[in-house]
Amino acid sequence: MGEDFSNGLLIGNFVVRPRDGTVRGAENVHPLSAEGMRVLLALARQPGRELSFAELADAGGENGPLDADRLRIDLEDIRAALGDRGPNPRFLLETSDGITLIAPVQVAAKRDGEVLEKISLFEDFRRRKVIRVAAAYVVLAWVAIQVADTILPALGLPGWSITLTIALAMLGFPVAVVVAWLFEATPTGAKLDRRAVPARLTRSQKWIDIGVLSCLAIVVGFLSLNVLRDVRREWTESTLQIAPRMVTAASNTVAVLPFQFMGRVQDNDYIGDGIAAEILRLLSRLQELRVAAHTASFYFKGKDVDPQTIAQKLQVRHLLTGSVQVSDDSIRVNAELLDAVTGYLIWSEVFDRKMVDILEIQSEIAKAVADTSSVVLSADSSAALRNRPTNNLEAYDFYLRGRDYLRQPRTSDVLQNAQRMFHRALALDPGYALARAGLCETHLAIYIRTKSVATVDDAESDCKAALEIDETLPEVHTALGFLYWHTGDFDAAESRFRIAINTNPNFYEAYSGLSDALFSLNRLDEAGLVLQQLLELQPGYWRSWHKMGAYYYRQGEDAKALPYFAQVTELTPDNAPGWNNLGAVRYMLGDLAGAATAWQRGIEIEPTQSMYANLGTMYYYLGRFQDSVEMQREAIELAPDDFRLWGRMAAAYGRMSDREAEANSAYRKAISLAEQVVGVNPNEADALKNLALFYAHTGQAERASSAIERALELTPTDPDTHFFASLTFLELGQDQRCIQELETAVKFGYPLKLIASEHALDRVRELERYRLLFAGQDDGA
C-alpha cells in the first residue's frame, strides 16, 4: 500500500495525523512519539500483512533500528491510542512472530487544509437536524391526532376518518426524516446538503438537541399514560383476570403437545408421544410456520398447567393437542387446535383409519394446522407434507419406540434399548434415513455419557449411511455435524450445520450446533450472533437460554451468564441440569450459599454425576476432603469413564495424610481415560489441561509441559486453562511460571475466591506477586 499519508489517514474510526503526531478518537486525542508514529505508519501501509518485530524496529528508528524495549513501549502506546485493550484485539493482532494491523485503512481526503474525519451516524443525524425535525413532527402529529379525535366526530364524519388521519401521520414521518437528511435550510431556500465535512456542533446546539429530545420523551410518556389509562378503562373484570397471561405471539406460531394415549396398556404411551413428535417434525419443515421446540413443548406432559400459561411460556399463539386410540389394525386420532389468545377451539377433527394410514393422518393434521394458521404454503413446504420417510408400518413403530427412549433420561439401559429399536427398524427398512440418524444420535449419546471411544466409529458409520440415504433431511446433517464437533473436526461440523440450516431455517438444533462449532473455532462474536438467532427462533425453549448462559460462562463472564441460567429454572422449575448450571455460575461468582442451594435442589430432582462432582469440588475447597472423595465416588458410579472425576478424587486423596497410594492409583486411572479421549480428538483442550496436571502429579514432567502448552495454544483466553496451567507448573516446581499463569487466569476472569481456596497453592501464598493478585480485594489469601 503505497499511498501518501502526509494528509492523514483513517484506521477504523480513528484519525491519524502524522504531521502533528496524534491519533484522534471520538472522545480524545492521543499523542504518539515520532518512533511510534513511524511504526504505526509502517503497519498501515501493509494492512493484513504480518510484519516481523525486526521490520517494525527498522521502520521505527530514524537513526537505526529500535531496541526491543523501545519497540514494545511504542506498540503499547499505539494500542492505548487505539483503545485496543483486552483479549479480543480489534486493531493489532500479535503473534510470536510479529504484528498485523487487522483494521481497515483509508487515506484521508483533504479540503481547505483540513483532514476530513469520520463521524458517527448519530452525530450526522444531529448535524443535519434530523433529530429536531423528527421530534417536531411527532409533536405536531400528536396534536393533529388529538384535534382530529375531538373535531371529526362532531362534524359527523365516520370513525375511519380518525384512522386515516393516524395512517397519514405515520406515512408522513419517514418522508419528513428523509427530507431533513437530504436538504439544508439556507438564506436562499432549501438546498441539497452536499457537505462532506461535518460541521462540529456548538455547545448551545448540543443543548438544544438535548432539550428537544427531553421534550419528545415527555410528550411520548404523556401520550403513553393516556393510552394506558384509556385501555384500562375499557377492560372488563374478566379481561383483567387473564391479562397477565395474554399471548402476543404471531399467528403463525404453534406448539405441539404430547397426544394422550387412550388405552389400558401404559407401555403404548410412546404411540401418542411419537405421533405428536412426528407431526411436530413435519410442521417444523414448513418455513412459513414457527414451531416450539420438541423438548420445550413436551416438558408440559402430565403437568396441570392451563393453556394460556403454556402458550405464554412457549411464546406461541396456537396449541395442538390430541388423543390416540388403537384397536387391532385400526387407529383413531382426535386432534384439536386452540387459539391461546381467545381461548377458543378453532379446529378439530377425528380420524378413524387403518393403522397403515397413520403417516397420511399426520400429514393431514399438519396441513390443517398450517391452513388454520392463515399461512400460504410454498411448493417445497407442500412437498414436505407429502413426503413419507418409510412405507413399512412395523419399521415406523420401532422408530417411534427408539425415539421414545431418547426422550428419557439417557442412562446406559435406556440408550441400549434405543439402539436395539433403531436396529430393528432398519432391519425392516434399510433405507429409513430417520432411523439411521436416530442410531447415529444414540451412539453419539453413549460416547458423550461414557467417553468410550468404541462408539465413535459406529456413530460415524451410521451418520454417513444416513447421509447416503437422504441428504435433504436436516436431522441427518445435524447428527453428522455433532459427530464432527465431538471428534474435533470443527470446520466440517460448521459446514454440516450450515447445510442443515439452509435445508430448514427453522431447525433449531442446527443453530445450537453451529454456535458450538464457531465457539470452538474461536469465532466468538459469530457464535454469539447465532445464539441470538436461536433465542429469536425459540424464545420459549429453555435450551436457548441455557446455550446463551453457557456462551458467557465459557468466556468467564459469569455475571452475564447468571440471568440466562436463572431463566432456565424459571421456564422449567424441575430441570435438574438447569439448577446444576445455576449453582455453577453462582459458585464462580463466590455465592457459595446460593450454589449449595441450587445444587441441593438439583439433586432432589435428579441426582447426576455432574451435581455430585460439583458438590465434591466445593467440599474440596472447604477442606472436607473425605466428603469430597465420597461425592466423587457417587459421580464415578454414574460415569465410570469420566477422567475428570478420577482426577478430582485423586486431588482430594492427595490432601489427606497416608492416602498417597489411593491418590496415585486414581491419577493412573485418570491418565488412562484422558489419553483415550485425546487419542480420538487431539484438540480436546479440556482433556489436555487435565492430563497435564495428572502427568505432573505422577512425575512425568516432559509430558505435563507438552500437554499444558498445547492446551494453552488451543484456548489462549480460557481462564480455566490458565488456572490448570498454574497448578501444573506449581507441581513441576516452576513457582514463577505458576504465578504468571495465575495472573493471566485472573485477567481473563478466573475468580479470586477460588484461587484463595485452592489448597495446592499454599506454597506460593507468601510470594509478593501472589499477594499482589489480591491487592484491594476482600478475598485475600
Side-chain angles (χ1 to χ4, degrees):
M1 193 171 182
E3 287 86 354
D4 179 14
F5 289 153
S6 59
N7 290 333
L9 63 150
L10 301 173
I11 300 180
N13 287 326
F14 287 83
V15 178
V16 180
R17 290 175 165 162
R19 290 180 176 175
D20 57 12
T22 61
V23 176
R24 180 174 182 173
E27 299 179 358
N28 53 41
V29 177
H30 192 103
L32 284 182
S33 66
E35 308 100 273
M37 182 61 73
R38 284 193 289 269
V39 170
L40 180 57
L41 293 179
L43 289 165
R45 288 191 174 93
Q46 301 186 67
R49 176 181 175 271
E50 185 177 80
L51 298 185
S52 69
F53 293 105
E55 290 176 291
L56 293 173
D58 288 335
E62 187 175 22
N63 300 315
L66 302 176
D67 60 47
D69 290 339
R70 182 68 250 180
L71 177 60
R72 177 60 60 186
I73 291 171
D74 289 331
L75 287 172
E76 288 302 313
D77 200 24
I78 293 171
R79 286 193 179 89
L82 298 174
D84 204 26
R85 302 288 189 182
N88 299 311
R90 297 178 296 115
F91 293 87
L92 301 185
L93 179 63
E94 180 174 352
T95 67
S96 58
D97 298 321
I99 305 288
T100 306
L101 180 63
I102 57 177
V105 177
Q106 301 177 49
V107 177
K110 188 178 182 183
R111 184 194 297 174
D112 298 330
E114 183 174 345
V115 176
L116 304 187
E117 302 171 14
K118 287 187 175 180
I119 62 169
S120 68
L121 181 62
F122 181 73
E123 189 176 353
D124 210 13
F125 275 151
R126 294 170 61 183
R127 176 184 68 80
R128 295 173 183 265
K129 299 182 176 61
V130 173
I131 294 175
R132 300 186 196 181
V133 171
Y137 186 91
V138 169
V139 173
L140 291 175
W142 175 71
V143 171
I145 291 170
Q146 297 299 310
V147 172
D149 189 37
T150 302
I151 295 178
L152 295 184
L155 296 176
L157 294 178
W160 57 260
S161 60
I162 299 176
T163 304
L164 178 62
T165 302
I166 296 173
L168 291 174
M170 294 174 64
L171 291 174
F173 180 78
V175 175
V177 170
V178 170
V179 170
W181 174 269
L182 294 177
F183 293 91
E184 62 172 322
T186 70
T188 59
K191 294 182 179 180
L192 280 175
D193 189 343
R194 302 181 181 277
R195 290 172 292 177
V197 182
R200 294 290 173 184
L201 299 177
T202 64
R203 183 180 298 273
S204 61
Q205 289 174 320
K206 292 180 180 180
W207 278 110
I208 290 174
D209 280 343
I210 292 172
V212 169
L213 289 174
S214 300
C215 292
L216 178 60
I218 293 171
V219 170
V220 171
F222 179 73
L223 176 60
S224 300
L225 287 173
N226 279 327
V227 170
L228 288 174
R229 183 187 61 197
D230 293 340
V231 169
R232 288 195 183 97
R233 187 182 300 129
E234 294 175 3
W235 278 351
T236 64
E237 184 177 351
S238 60
T239 306
L240 285 171
Q241 291 175 351
I242 65 168
R245 296 178 183 172
M246 289 184 66
V247 179
T248 58
S251 61
N252 68 334
T253 55
V254 62
V256 181
L257 302 181
F259 281 25
Q260 184 179 4
F261 181 78
M262 310 294 290
R264 297 179 180 178
V265 183
Q266 292 184 351
D267 289 345
N268 287 340
D269 274 356
Y270 76 91
I271 297 177
D273 291 351
I275 290 174
E278 287 303 292
I279 294 173
L280 189 154
R281 185 185 67 82
L282 279 173
L283 290 172
S284 67
R285 298 201 71 185
L286 308 182
Q287 297 186 16
E288 297 81 5
L289 287 179
R290 293 291 180 268
V291 185
H294 170 275
T295 310
S297 57
F298 272 50
Y299 167 78
F300 293 97
K301 179 181 179 180
K303 293 180 171 63
D304 185 18
V305 184
D306 64 88
Q308 282 82 9
T309 298
I310 295 175
Q312 185 65 39
K313 284 202 170 189
L314 298 180
Q315 291 295 292
V316 296
R317 172 73 177 265
H318 299 117
L319 296 176
L320 179 67
T321 62
S323 61
V324 178
Q325 286 179 278
V326 176
S327 177
D328 297 328
D329 63 343
S330 298
I331 186 170
R332 167 176 284 190
V333 179
N334 179 24
E336 299 179 341
L337 190 67
L338 176 76
D339 187 325
V341 172
T342 63
Y344 293 132
L345 194 64
I346 57 176
W347 172 83
S348 68
E349 190 165 342
V350 178
F351 300 85
D352 280 309
R353 306 280 182 84
K354 296 295 184 182
M355 278 295 296
V356 294
D357 297 324
I358 182 58
L359 294 172
E360 183 179 345
I361 293 173
Q362 292 169 178
S363 295
E364 290 181 24
I365 293 174
K367 178 67 164 59
V369 171
D371 291 342
T372 310
S373 301
S374 302
V375 298
V376 179
L377 297 182
S378 65
D380 289 341
S381 294
S382 297
L385 290 179
R386 295 191 299 269
N387 180 59
R388 294 172 68 91
T390 182
N391 291 314
N392 189 305
L393 183 61
E394 192 175 0
Y396 176 73
D397 183 73
F398 283 124
Y399 169 74
L400 293 186
R401 291 174 184 265
R403 279 289 166 195
D404 184 63
Y405 279 118
L406 289 183
R407 285 191 290 271
Q408 300 174 28
R410 295 183 174 185
T411 64
S412 177
D413 289 342
V414 165
L415 292 175
Q416 288 179 10
N417 286 331
Q419 185 178 7
R420 183 163 51 88
M421 292 297 105
F422 289 129
H423 273 304
R424 297 184 70 174
L426 289 167
L428 294 165
D429 183 358
Y432 198 171
L434 287 176
R436 185 70 66 179
L439 192 58
C440 169
E441 183 180 337
T442 304
H443 286 144
L444 194 57
I446 294 172
Y447 171 71
I448 294 171
R449 182 182 180 279
T450 66
K451 301 299 182 183
S452 174
V453 298
T455 60
V456 174
D457 292 338
D458 292 334
E460 183 174 16
S461 174
D462 287 319
C463 280
K464 290 183 176 179
L467 195 59
E468 291 175 3
I469 296 170
D470 188 348
E471 62 178 4
T472 67
L473 292 175
E475 296 90 341
V476 178
H477 289 290
T478 300
L480 191 59
F482 277 116
L483 175 65
Y484 287 144
W485 181 73
H486 278 285
T487 54
D489 192 349
F490 305 132
D491 290 317
E494 178 192 0
S495 175
R496 285 297 160 195
F497 290 131
R498 290 195 184 278
I499 292 173
I501 291 171
N502 289 335
T503 303
N504 183 358
N506 295 332
F507 198 67
Y508 62 91
E509 290 182 354
Y511 290 90
S512 177
L514 179 58
S515 69
D516 288 335
L518 292 171
F519 197 100
S520 298
L521 289 167
N522 205 33
R523 290 153 61 183
L524 305 185
D525 290 341
E526 292 179 66
L529 291 175
V530 171
L531 288 176
Q532 287 291 348
Q533 290 179 283
L534 178 59
L535 267 176
E536 292 171 6
L537 187 66
Q538 293 289 338
Y541 184 30
W542 67 266
R543 286 191 189 277
S544 304
W545 296 88
H546 166 264
K547 295 289 291 188
M548 186 61 84
Y551 170 76
Y552 287 119
Y553 182 77
R554 291 164 67 187
Q555 298 180 76
E557 297 187 79
D558 304 306
K560 289 184 178 180
L562 181 61
Y564 291 98
F565 285 141
Q567 180 66 12
V568 172
T569 60
E570 178 69 23
L571 291 172
T572 54
D574 55 357
N575 184 329
W579 288 104
N580 186 32
N581 292 325
L582 183 60
V585 74
R586 284 178 172 170
Y587 182 60
M588 294 301 289
L589 289 170
D591 180 10
L592 300 185
T597 300
W599 282 331
Q600 190 60 47
R601 174 68 179 130
I603 286 178
E604 290 171 1
I605 298 169
E606 180 191 345
T608 65
Q609 64 90 5
S610 178
M611 278 180 279
Y612 280 129
N614 285 335
L615 276 174
T617 301
M618 188 166 71
Y619 286 150
Y620 171 87
Y621 282 131
L622 294 173
R624 297 167 56 179
F625 303 119
Q626 184 60 47
D627 289 336
S628 178
V629 167
E630 294 304 320
M631 288 295 100
Q632 301 301 347
R633 282 196 181 280
E634 293 283 354
I636 289 171
E637 285 290 323
L638 297 173
D641 293 335
D642 191 329
F643 59 86
R644 294 165 298 185
L645 305 178
W646 288 95
R648 291 169 185 169
M649 187 167 68
Y653 272 133
R655 305 307 302 178
M656 300 162 65
S657 60
D658 302 325
R659 307 299 289 271
E660 183 178 355
E662 289 96 329
N664 288 333
S665 175
Y667 275 129
R668 286 194 296 270
K669 180 66 174 179
I671 288 172
S672 173
L673 294 171
E675 286 178 338
Q676 291 182 48
V677 174
V678 174
V680 174
N681 180 6
N683 295 325
E684 178 57 69
D686 183 57
L688 285 167
K689 71 188 182 188
N690 278 274
L691 196 54
L693 188 55
F694 303 159
Y695 283 146
H697 277 288
T698 54
Q700 303 178 66
E702 186 174 343
R703 287 185 171 184
S705 296
S706 176
I708 198 60
E709 293 295 355
R710 177 59 178 156
L712 289 169
E713 179 183 347
L714 290 168
T715 54
T717 62
D718 178 42
D720 201 49
T721 301
H722 286 283
F723 183 69
F724 268 78
S726 70
L727 298 181
T728 300
F729 288 118
L730 177 71
E731 191 64 27
L732 295 177
Q734 301 180 35
D735 291 359
Q736 291 303 317
R737 180 67 188 276
C738 164
I739 300 299
Q740 177 185 332
E741 294 299 334
L742 279 181
E743 292 168 344
T744 308
V746 171
K747 172 186 174 183
F748 290 133
Y750 199 85
L752 288 170
K753 184 177 288 292
L754 297 187
I755 292 176
S757 301
E758 175 54 66
H759 303 281
L761 294 170
D762 289 347
R763 193 176 81 210
V764 296
R765 296 204 196 278
E766 296 305 316
L767 295 179
E768 182 64 22
R769 286 180 67 184
Y770 177 90
R771 301 186 68 82
L772 286 174
L773 286 173
F774 297 90
Q777 301 289 331
D778 295 328
D779 305 76

